[in-house]
Amino acid sequence: MSQGLLVHLRRARDHADLNYREPLALEALAAVAGVSKFHFQRSFKAAYGVSPAEYLSRRRIERAQDLLRATNLTVTEVCFAVGYSSLGSFSSRFSELVGESPSAYQARFADGAPRIPGCWMFMWGLTRPVTGDDQDAPSRDQEPS
């Protein structure tokens, strides 16, 4: 793989890291990299060992783990904050990657230490609040295929 292509793949990966809460289609990530979606899919997997969809899913779950450990947000709030629109999809994926349910994971860190209030997280834009407009938006748990 050429160094030039790696630069473009890194740009797309960085875009996914910054915008993991938003719906990110394969076509959009490929456009950021400046290559066709088919070439992007193959090249991304060759460079990073996982597909773009898997990378995005893992990024979302990593962020969910941070929020479940450090904030007083509910599992449902965390689900929506990291880009999922279905609690079932989020819980299944979380359990698959982490090895326990989101609520069990959160309970494991409930040691009585103060947590960052969810209102502060929403106020500073560190999570995206769920609004009535989200019902009309495309599903955020759709990942690039």
Side-chain angles (χ1 to χ4, degrees), residues 28-86:
L29 290 173
V32 170
V35 296
S36 77
K37 69 180 182 179
F38 303 108
H39 186 57
F40 177 73
Q41 173 84 14
R42 283 189 308 272
S43 301
F44 192 96
K45 184 157 185 155
Y48 299 111
V50 294
S51 69
E54 177 73 14
Y55 181 84
L56 180 59
S57 178
R58 288 180 180 188
R59 177 67 182 105
R60 287 174 171 168
I61 297 302
E62 287 169 2
R63 181 62 178 142
Q65 287 178 283
D66 293 341
L67 292 172
L68 290 169
R69 275 193 313 264
T71 70
N72 70 354
L73 296 172
T74 66
V75 171
T76 303
E77 288 171 326
V78 169
C79 163
F80 291 117
V82 299
Y84 283 87
S85 60
S86 163

Side-chain angles (χ1 to χ4, degrees), residues 101-114:
S101 71
S103 53
Y105 183 86
Q106 187 176 44
R108 201 160 39 96
F109 292 95
D111 56 4

